[in-house]
Amino acid sequence: ELDELELKIQEIAGTVLTLHGEVEEARDMSTKIATHMQEATEIRKVGKEENRLAKKDAHEAQVQLANAIAVLEDFYKSSGQIPKESWEFIQGRVESRIAAPVDLPETPSTWDSGYTGVADPKHPEGIITVLEQISADFAKMASQTEAQENSDQEAYDEDMKASAIEKARRDREAEM
């Protein structure tokens, strides 16, 4: 009977050691999960800020490109390179103290030909077409960045949820 009790004591001692090891393992895992969650949160903050700046830059670039296109179109319309819209032909005379502009002949003697422009704005390689394409590329970049931001946030939320569940499970194991 004494041998039986000693055997039971040894079994219980072995079980206690095993359980103690499992508790320590659960605590270690809980600490690792908490560290992972902190690191993931920091990475997410950085990614969110980078995406915000990328979208802001894309929007600002689109605004500046639209302004540049408007200036070039105005210039090309005034030079006759681009036909004016029907509503742009309405002209009114504004009385002012400023002298009337000087009328120049079609081809002044200092010019040997009419203005031909740097590039045909309607041509695929024309500057307006190039700027419009660049603006479209910025719009595409902004929408892709927004989609990536949404995807990153969903992945982060799922990871945080799974990590919180696992951490709670490990914490419970450590308490037992």
Side-chain angles (χ1 to χ4, degrees):
E1 210 175 286
L2 189 58
D3 288 339
E4 239 178 77
L5 289 175
E6 282 185 26
L7 188 60
K8 282 186 179 184
I9 290 173
Q10 286 177 356
E11 281 180 32
I12 292 172
T15 303
V16 167
L17 285 175
T18 302
L19 291 175
H20 182 68
E22 289 175 3
V23 166
E24 286 302 313
E25 185 180 313
R27 284 184 184 149
D28 289 345
M29 185 55 79
S30 179
T31 302
K32 287 178 183 177
I33 291 170
T35 301
H36 163 76
M37 291 173 76
Q38 288 174 343
E39 290 172 354
T41 299
E42 281 302 311
I43 290 169
R44 184 69 202 111
K45 283 180 185 176
V46 169
K48 188 176 251 185
E49 180 63 13
E50 286 175 357
N51 287 338
R52 185 189 70 77
L53 291 174
K55 288 188 295 188
K56 180 181 174 223
D57 287 348
H59 175 71
E60 288 174 1
Q62 287 176 290
V63 168
Q64 294 304 320
L65 285 166
N67 290 339
I69 290 168
V71 168
L72 286 171
E73 284 180 341
D74 184 52
F75 171 75
Y76 282 126
K77 285 178 182 180
S78 69
S79 71
Q81 291 257 314
I82 295 178
K84 291 184 177 186
E85 300 294 330
S86 61
W87 54 267
E88 293 177 307
F89 286 111
I90 300 173
Q91 297 178 4
R93 185 146 174 96
V94 177
E95 298 296 324
S96 68
R97 295 181 184 188
I98 301 173
V102 176
D103 289 328
L104 294 175
E106 180 64 29
T107 55
S109 60
T110 57
W111 298 345
D112 49 359
S113 66
Y115 178 72
T116 58
V118 176
D120 179 9
K122 300 259 186 203
H123 192 269
E125 287 84 32
I127 188 66
I128 293 175
T129 304
V130 170
L131 291 177
E132 287 172 343
Q133 182 58 48
I134 292 170
S135 182
D137 290 346
F138 274 114
K140 182 179 176 183
M141 183 187 85
S143 68
Q144 287 174 341
T145 302
E146 181 69 28
Q148 184 63 48
E149 171 65 25
N150 292 338
S151 173
D152 290 351
Q153 187 64 44
E154 283 179 24
Y156 171 77
D157 291 343
E158 288 176 19
D159 183 44
M160 289 297 107
K161 182 179 176 182
S163 294
I165 291 169
E166 182 64 17
K167 184 176 182 319
R169 186 177 74 80
R170 297 297 180 140
D171 287 343
R172 264 193 313 265
E173 284 179 10
E175 289 175 1
M176 293 183 181

